[in-house]
């Protein structure tokens, strides 16, 4: 069931991967071990390279499957600049980080918040946990549940990106904010925990004028913040997309 921990970044979380490999073969085993006390974690970074810095660190703690506490902090990078691409993706700007703490100022508080609880997150074995480990936050002794790996075992969908699973379950919130992503990942994990693999109805309420519409927002918005526009799209039944495809219903420039 367990594999001896390794110190290499790619292997630090093999103990959890070994457990995940049982999902398809032996769901009874998995379901006798899925915890009701856990913490969901997520981060935002300045990029996808190994040395790109963390700019948001978030976690939500659950006890008996009920939300009990939240950790959320923007992080001021030591040297990295926030590119337009990252700012546009996450809504985080250099101005927002000007008075934020450095990672070393909050890392002990974060480690204490997580404690010895099982850790939940999406693609955390490949991205979040190695990134945290790179910046001296080692959580390799905790039991890990990666909702990406669970989705690959449980759901028959085109891909297993967080946005795809959110759409499958009808979860609506603004993506690429670490705390919002924690909220979505918690809902997905609880769905899996309760063996709920049924997608929501694709029919949206008729009183929402963007019901079922896929919307692309482009350019800079000076009168209203981009994140507020995204929230309005969600509020009125739509879904925001990053780029125009054949499925796009509305383009706002």
């Amino acid at each position: 069931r367990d594999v001896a921990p390794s110190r290499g970044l790619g292997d630090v979380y093999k103990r959890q991967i070994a457990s995940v490999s049982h999902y398809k073969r032996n769901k009874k085993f998995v379901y006798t071990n899925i915890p009701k006390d856990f913490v969901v974690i997520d981060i935002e970074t300045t990029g996808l390279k190994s040395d790109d810095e963390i700019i948001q660190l978030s976690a939500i703690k659950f006890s008996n499957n009920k939300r009990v506490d939240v950790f959320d902090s923007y992080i001021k990078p030591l040297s990295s600049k926030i590119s337009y691409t990252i700012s546009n993706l996450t809504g985080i700007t250099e101005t927002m980080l000007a008075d934020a703490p450095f990672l070393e100022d909050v890392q002990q508080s974060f480690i204490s918040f997580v404690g010895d609880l099982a850790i939940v997150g999406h693609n955390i074995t490949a991205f979040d946990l190695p990134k945290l480990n790179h910046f001296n936050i080692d959580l390799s002794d905790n039991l890990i549940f990666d909702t990406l790996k669970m989705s690959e075992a449980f759901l028959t969908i085109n891909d297993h990106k967080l946005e795809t699973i959110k759409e499958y379950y009808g979860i609506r919130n603004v993506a690429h904010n670490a705390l919002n992503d924690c909220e979505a990942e918690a809902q997905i994990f609880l769905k899996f925990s309760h063996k709920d693999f049924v997608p929501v109805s694709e029919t949206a309420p008729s009183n929402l004028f963007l019901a079922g519409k896929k919307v692309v927002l482009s350019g800079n918005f000076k009168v209203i913040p981009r994140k507020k526009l995204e929230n309005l799209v969600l509020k009125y039944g739509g879904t925001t997309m990053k780029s125009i495809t054949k499925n796009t219903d509305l383009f706002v420039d």
Side-chain angles (χ1 to χ4, degrees):
R1 199 163 69 174
D2 292 344
V3 176
S6 168
R7 294 296 96 190
L9 281 182
D11 296 322
V12 166
Y13 304 99
K14 267 191 173 180
R15 181 167 67 92
Q16 182 271 342
I17 293 295
S19 293
V20 170
S21 69
H22 289 77
Y23 282 177
K24 286 183 178 178
R25 297 200 305 270
N26 192 344
K27 291 184 180 181
K28 183 177 180 181
F29 164 78
V30 172
Y31 278 104
T32 61
N33 289 274
I34 288 185
K36 293 184 178 181
D37 299 337
F38 57 91
V39 60
V40 186
I41 69 171
D42 199 274
I43 62 175
E44 300 298 338
T45 65
T46 57
L48 299 178
K49 297 178 182 177
S50 60
D51 57 349
D52 284 330
E53 297 186 66
I54 296 170
I55 54 176
Q56 187 183 9
L57 180 59
S58 303
I60 303 176
K61 187 178 295 185
F62 285 76
S63 177
N64 196 28
N65 286 341
K66 302 295 184 183
R67 172 175 168 159
V68 294
D69 204 357
V70 174
F71 181 102
D72 183 41
S73 178
Y74 288 123
I75 306 294
K76 185 175 184 178
L78 292 173
S79 57
S80 303
K81 298 294 185 182
I82 309 300
S83 68
Y84 172 80
T85 299
I86 293 298
S87 182
N88 191 47
L89 180 68
T90 65
I92 300 173
T93 65
E94 290 193 3
T95 301
M96 293 168 62
L97 303 181
D99 297 321
F102 292 109
L103 182 60
E104 65 178 13
D105 296 328
V106 301
Q107 67 182 45
Q108 286 305 316
S109 296
F110 179 76
I111 291 171
S112 296
F113 183 88
V114 174
D116 61 358
L117 289 172
I119 297 173
V120 173
H122 197 76
N123 198 32
I124 54 174
T125 51
F127 184 72
D128 302 67
L129 294 174
K131 173 69 70 175
L132 290 168
N133 196 25
H134 179 79
F135 289 104
N136 301 314
I137 299 178
D138 183 3
L139 302 174
S140 58
D141 288 335
N142 298 62
L143 185 62
I144 310 299
F145 289 85
D146 192 324
T147 53
L148 171 62
K149 302 295 182 181
M150 297 176 81
S151 176
E152 289 173 345
F154 296 145
L155 303 182
T156 303
I157 50 181
N158 291 333
D159 63 69
H160 298 275
K161 297 176 182 178
L162 182 59
E163 284 302 297
T164 304
I165 304 171
K166 284 169 59 178
E167 185 173 352
Y168 181 88
Y169 280 125
I171 299 169
R172 297 184 179 277
N173 68 2
V174 176
H176 301 298
N177 171 280
L179 188 59
N180 284 353
D181 286 347
C182 282
E183 298 271 11
E185 290 155 16
Q187 292 184 57
I188 291 166
F189 180 70
L190 290 172
K191 291 281 190 182
F192 292 158
S193 298
H194 297 131
K195 302 184 183 182
D196 180 358
F197 308 127
V198 180
V200 298
S201 169
E202 295 183 359
T203 303
S206 59
N207 61 329
L208 301 180
F209 74 90
L210 290 178
K213 301 296 184 183
K214 297 184 183 300
V215 182
V216 174
L217 303 175
S218 178
N220 295 317
F221 298 90
K222 296 182 179 180
V223 177
I224 182 172
R226 184 187 189 88
K227 284 295 178 183
K228 189 170 183 180
L229 274 178
E230 291 176 347
N231 281 322
L232 286 172
V233 172
L234 293 171
K235 178 179 178 180
Y236 290 104
T239 302
T240 57
M241 305 173 66
K242 295 179 183 178
S243 58
I244 296 176
T245 71
K246 64 181 181 180
N247 296 319
T248 302
D249 297 298
L250 181 64
F251 176 65
V252 182
D253 182 27

